[in-house]
Amino acid sequence: MSTNALMERLHLKYQQKPWNETVKLVHFCMDKPLQRPVSDASDDLLLSCMEKIQRTLNGNKLYTIFSFSLSSLFRLNAHVSPSGTACYITSDMFYIEVQLEKDGKVTDVKLAHLGEAPVVKLICSQLFLSGRMKNYDAFGKILEDLSNLYKIPGNSEMRAKGYLALQALEKDLYSMYLLDRTQDVNRITEVLHGKVGHLVPRTGGTPMNIEFYISPYQVLEAELNPGSQVCGTKTIVTVEGTDTLHRLPLSPLLVDSQAGEDGNPDFLPLSDELSMDLSAFFVLKFHQPIPMSSCSIEEIQRLTGMLQLFLRPRIWITGLKLAPLYELIVQSTLKEKCSEDLSTHKSCFFVSLPDCPKHCYFINKGLENSDLVGTLVSKIPFSHPKCVPGVIEILRHQVAYNGLISSCVSEKHINEDDSELLYFEVLPYKNTSFSVLFLHPVKENLACVRIDVITSREVQCRLHLNPQDPPLNSSDDFITRALKRCMSVPVVMRAIFRNAAKVKADS
């Protein structure tokens, strides 16, 4: 159909409609998010090839790459100044200003959200100030994160309200972060003991992140390697759209910088002036899904008042198919250590430690109908900042427990030599307790260490022996202190066998 014929049909269709209705339709279409058109497979291939070619171009043609990549990948607009020394990336909710020199070198990057003055964002600048802007993937991630801040249902006004709610949450979390913070506190202490862990505010599109747990074994590694910085378990804080309405604060709710009588912060009530019903909720999102027990999930649900968790895959908790928790921990650990899809049916693992015979650990994963079941959790929704400290504490507890089980898992599930082996079985007990069974070093009877993970910072160990067997020179207090220092089952078992070897030598 020709253009003239198409326009004639449009005129005939709308000539009977009032002008006000046409204006409303235009405004509705402008506020409606743009959908990427369905293209032919050959078109996608052509676009991919063009993008690869443009990535290899010299930096002084950066604005041409901007114009193509932004419009095709992120549905953003790019404008270049007449002098060619500035590029403006715009959307209906934010814009980015990139200052360039004649040779294409980036000198400054500024970001402005709707209704805000532009500010320099160091994370954006550091990507490019070292030279010409060729770190397209990192810059693309920033643009993607910026766009995701406004991915909630509704028009531009509703999306702006969602951004205001996120700002209010971030201010309250940062105020809680400062509540019990002193000048001499270090990062490790904040991670393990802070109400909201070690908090890094959002910069541009890079979301606020909270580091809430780090293994003592990682801390020991850092102490042995000065200058290195270990990274603990983190979660990012953001807002996401949903099909149901939730009451979210549009202004900070923390009353003052002092905690209440019970040690917890005081918050203002969610009045109509301070909050609003939005098709969105706040989310704690993890880089890698965390194996969580059904008990931990229920605790978080009670705390947040949310009936659903964002899981992997996304399903309702009421219709959830749970799996043995230990199977999930083994699966996640193998994926992290091996970076490949190993069979999760492996239950026998060989762990090598210095100055010690090789350990062989059998992980008893339990049954699907047992009490210790769980699932992989990738996101936790909530609607009020007061929920975050409690959720962080539950996460710490779960991650500490998972870490002890995963310390017995290695990528080696086949014994490659005939050296002496020490055999252990890791057996679920209940809740966050488990047992490690092994043969008595002197007698041919079974011995057992039961480990209770009370909190992420408190564990208790009890050594159980046959009353007729000789002692192993390892008291419950000694084993507990050893485990707290390293949070590694193989390291603790090595200490027990070393003490037993001394008793055996003396006798």
Side-chain angles (χ1 to χ4, degrees), residues 204-328:
T206 304
M208 170 182 283
N209 72 78
I210 294 174
E211 188 178 8
F212 60 86
Y213 183 77
I214 188 168
S215 167
Y217 197 82
Q218 291 177 290
V219 177
L220 288 175
E221 286 182 333
E223 292 176 353
L224 296 174
N225 299 282
S228 64
Q229 182 164 341
V230 294
C231 181
T233 308
K234 294 182 179 181
T235 181
I236 64 172
V237 182
T238 186
V239 63
E240 290 193 358
T242 179
D243 298 331
T244 56
L245 292 175
H246 297 275
R247 174 71 63 165
L248 299 183
L250 298 182
S251 299
L253 300 177
L254 198 62
V255 175
D256 52 41
S257 59
Q258 301 295 323
E261 296 180 358
D262 58 353
N264 295 318
D266 289 329
F267 293 93
L268 295 171
L270 287 175
S271 63
D272 291 338
E273 293 77 16
L274 298 177
S275 62
M276 181 178 181
D277 288 330
L278 294 171
S279 298
F281 46 35
F282 304 128
V283 172
L284 295 178
K285 186 186 298 185
F286 309 107
H287 296 291
Q288 297 294 335
I290 296 178
M292 295 192 68
S293 69
S294 57
C295 294
S296 296
I297 293 174
E298 290 171 1
E299 285 183 44
I300 291 176
Q301 287 178 323
R302 285 195 295 268
L303 190 63
T304 61
M306 295 285 185
L307 296 179
Q308 77 271 20
L309 289 178
F310 270 105
L311 306 167
R312 188 182 183 186
R314 182 180 176 182
I315 49 182
W316 292 94
I317 186 66
T318 52
L320 181 63
K321 280 189 67 175
L322 300 174
L325 180 63
Y326 281 24
E327 182 176 330
L328 298 173

Side-chain angles (χ1 to χ4, degrees), residues 100-377:
L100 306 164
E101 293 182 356
K102 289 293 184 180
D103 62 352
K105 184 177 180 180
V106 177
T107 58
D108 196 10
V109 180
K110 294 182 180 179
L111 167 68
H113 289 276
L114 185 67
E116 295 182 357
V119 293
V120 177
K121 295 299 178 183
L122 294 180
I123 289 183
C124 296
S125 302
Q126 290 171 355
L127 286 174
F128 317 124
L129 291 181
S130 57
R132 293 171 178 170
M133 185 164 28
K134 294 184 179 180
N135 199 340
Y136 305 112
D137 291 334
F139 187 59
K141 184 66 171 64
I142 289 175
L143 294 178
E144 182 181 4
D145 289 338
L146 279 170
S147 299
N148 288 340
L149 292 178
Y150 299 98
K151 276 192 175 181
I152 65 173
N155 55 25
S156 57
E157 182 181 354
M158 289 296 101
R159 298 200 298 274
K161 295 292 186 184
Y163 178 69
L164 285 178
L166 177 62
Q167 279 187 314
L169 170 70
E170 291 172 339
K171 290 177 181 178
D172 278 337
L173 292 182
Y174 191 70
S175 297
M176 281 191 279
Y177 168 67
L178 297 177
L179 274 179
D180 52 357
R181 192 172 188 267
T182 58
Q183 290 184 346
D184 58 344
V185 69
N186 58 36
R187 170 177 149 261
I188 303 298
T189 302
E190 288 179 345
V191 171
L192 296 175
H193 301 277
K195 289 184 182 298
V196 290
H198 176 70
L199 185 147
V200 178
R202 174 171 54 87
T203 306
T206 304
M208 170 182 283
N209 72 78
I210 294 174
E211 188 178 8
F212 60 86
Y213 183 77
I214 188 168
S215 167
Y217 197 82
Q218 291 177 290
V219 177
L220 288 175
E221 286 182 333
E223 292 176 353
L224 296 174
N225 299 282
S228 64
Q229 182 164 341
V230 294
C231 181
T233 308
K234 294 182 179 181
T235 181
I236 64 172
V237 182
T238 186
V239 63
E240 290 193 358
T242 179
D243 298 331
T244 56
L245 292 175
H246 297 275
R247 174 71 63 165
L248 299 183
L250 298 182
S251 299
L253 300 177
L254 198 62
V255 175
D256 52 41
S257 59
Q258 301 295 323
E261 296 180 358
D262 58 353
N264 295 318
D266 289 329
F267 293 93
L268 295 171
L270 287 175
S271 63
D272 291 338
E273 293 77 16
L274 298 177
S275 62
M276 181 178 181
D277 288 330
L278 294 171
S279 298
F281 46 35
F282 304 128
V283 172
L284 295 178
K285 186 186 298 185
F286 309 107
H287 296 291
Q288 297 294 335
I290 296 178
M292 295 192 68
S293 69
S294 57
C295 294
S296 296
I297 293 174
E298 290 171 1
E299 285 183 44
I300 291 176
Q301 287 178 323
R302 285 195 295 268
L303 190 63
T304 61
M306 295 285 185
L307 296 179
Q308 77 271 20
L309 289 178
F310 270 105
L311 306 167
R312 188 182 183 186
R314 182 180 176 182
I315 49 182
W316 292 94
I317 186 66
T318 52
L320 181 63
K321 280 189 67 175
L322 300 174
L325 180 63
Y326 281 24
E327 182 176 330
L328 298 173
I329 295 174
V330 169
Q331 174 186 340
S332 298
T333 305
L334 288 176
K335 184 176 181 181
E336 180 181 353
K337 291 185 177 181
C338 308
S339 300
E340 59 185 38
D341 188 17
L342 292 180
S343 172
T344 58
H345 298 296
K346 302 294 181 184
S347 299
C348 185
F349 304 98
F350 297 90
V351 179
S352 299
L353 293 174
D355 305 323
C356 177
K358 186 179 293 185
H359 292 192
C360 177
Y361 287 91
F362 175 77
I363 309 293
N364 189 322
K365 299 175 183 177
L367 303 174
E368 290 190 11
N369 58 357
S370 67
D371 294 334
L372 200 59
V373 292
T375 189
L376 294 176
V377 176

